[in-house]
Amino acid sequence: MIKPESAKDRIILALDVDTLDEVRELVLELKDYVGYFKISLPLIVSYGFEAVRLIEELGGRCYYDSKFHDIPNTVQKASINLVKNNIHFFNVHIQGGSKMITGTVKAVRACCKRLEKKPPVILGVTLLSSFGQRTLTTELCVERSLEDYVLQLAKVAYDSGLDGVLASAEDTKRIREQIPDKDFIVVCPATRPTWASVNDQVRVDTPRDAILAGVDYLVIGRPVTTAENRIGAINLIIDEIATALKEKEILNA
Ligand code: C5P
């Protein structure tokens, strides 16, 4: 995947809706203002590839939030089926382990070679933001800090051949320090401009903080999809990203 150039290309809009009509409406309105449209499990379960085809027919690009986590053989087969169905961007849980990830990356690459297709971008989910330190320690019996744990998962993702990870802005700073490869993609879920409601999110980052931390792509949903003026909302976010990119350039100069 080529690293995003413009501010708008960095936005992944979460389509957390239930019907194809809603997908159509949002894609038609916002396709020129975002890089990708994300579909996740609720929509995948009901409409799967139909939703993907619709997004693409309308001129959008799709990020398939598959969150695979199973034994290596099952994830490999599922991933190959995604590739055969022309999915170019999806993810797996890093907690599925290096054997699951390397096997999947290898199987997907071999399949793409056979079919003469460009390999997809595969990201790794570090730790869901619904996990806090207490759950990590008491339920998963992980003694290390949540920050160390996320960093360790990012290293596993990198060493196993994934193209990037999902991580918060704070985690991204550590990931960028420890994994200096600039081609390694970091996507920040749950971003919120300061003017938007956090909704049910607990840990959120502003687009500015995410960009300054070294994030490549930002996932954002309701602040745009439920706004009265969606174009106005997305334009504010594009401006915030563009300003942060300039600020970052100055800081790095
Ligand atoms: O509407 P909102 O901006 O909260 O949507 C954020 C999207 O990103 C949702 O689809 C949510 O499932 C996803 N996500 C997240 N936090 C994570 C991983 C994914 O909010 N850690």
Side-chain angles (χ1 to χ4, degrees):
M1 182 185 227
I2 302 167
K3 286 268 188 163
E5 291 288 331
S6 69
K8 98 171 171 65
D9 283 344
R10 294 172 179 266
I11 301 174
I12 298 177
L13 188 78
L15 291 179
D16 289 317
V17 294
D18 294 317
T19 66
L20 291 179
D21 280 343
E22 290 167 285
V23 171
R24 183 179 292 105
E25 185 186 327
L26 287 166
V27 175
L28 279 175
E29 189 176 3
L30 296 164
K31 66 178 175 184
D32 295 328
Y33 298 85
V34 303
Y36 290 87
F37 291 95
K38 176 173 94 68
I39 66 165
S40 52
L41 291 174
L43 199 60
I44 289 173
V45 166
S46 302
Y47 297 107
F49 299 136
E50 216 182 326
V52 179
R53 301 291 164 258
L54 178 62
I55 293 169
E56 290 177 347
E57 271 165 32
L58 296 172
R61 288 185 292 183
C62 183
Y63 167 40
Y64 198 87
D65 193 5
S66 44
K67 293 213 173 73
F68 289 149
H69 187 170
D70 210 318
I71 58 169
N73 182 58
T74 305
V75 174
Q76 280 167 37
K77 281 175 173 285
S79 301
I80 284 174
N81 286 345
L82 288 188
V83 169
K84 286 184 177 164
N85 280 283
N86 296 320
I87 302 300
H88 311 292
F89 191 10
F90 65 95
N91 61 38
V92 300
H93 272 282
I94 306 166
Q95 288 176 97
S98 63
K99 205 166 155 192
M100 181 198 86
I101 301 170
T102 45
T104 298
V105 170
K106 218 168 134 191
V108 162
R109 285 194 188 142
C111 171
C112 288
K113 204 168 169 199
R114 235 179 9 255
L115 301 177
E116 296 183 358
K117 280 174 182 259
K118 200 170 151 238
V121 173
I122 315 178
L123 299 183
V125 179
T126 51
L127 186 69
L128 294 174
S129 45
S130 45
F131 275 78
Q133 183 69 54
R134 195 188 56 78
T135 323
L136 189 68
T137 309
T138 58
E139 292 184 17
L140 299 189
C141 301
V142 173
E143 296 296 337
R144 291 172 73 173
S145 72
L146 192 142
E147 292 76 17
D148 280 357
Y149 187 67
V150 169
L151 185 57
Q152 171 59 16
L153 288 174
K155 286 181 184 163
V156 170
Y158 184 70
D159 293 341
S160 307
L162 286 179
D163 299 289
V165 290
L166 284 123
S168 70
E170 274 307 312
D171 292 330
T172 302
K173 288 183 199 158
R174 282 183 284 272
I175 291 169
R176 292 292 185 213
E177 273 168 26
Q178 298 287 320
I179 305 173
D181 183 346
K182 290 205 167 79
D183 288 335
F184 195 59
I185 296 164
V186 182
V187 175
C188 182
T191 43
R192 284 287 179 277
T194 43
W195 48 263
S197 150
V198 294
N199 306 110
D200 55 349
Q201 297 281 15
V202 180
R203 287 187 280 144
V204 292
D205 295 300
T206 65
R208 177 179 177 271
D209 288 346
I211 293 293
L212 292 181
V215 161
D216 298 301
Y217 292 91
L218 298 85
V219 178
I220 188 149
R222 286 163 293 179
V224 177
T225 54
T226 64
E228 235 167 71
N229 176 355
R230 293 189 195 124
I231 304 283
I234 198 85
N235 272 330
L236 279 177
I237 295 164
I238 293 172
D239 283 350
E240 182 172 339
I241 296 173
T243 307
L245 284 169
K246 278 190 203 134
E247 206 177 318
K248 189 158 184 261
E249 221 179 279
I250 294 166
L251 285 173
N252 290 341

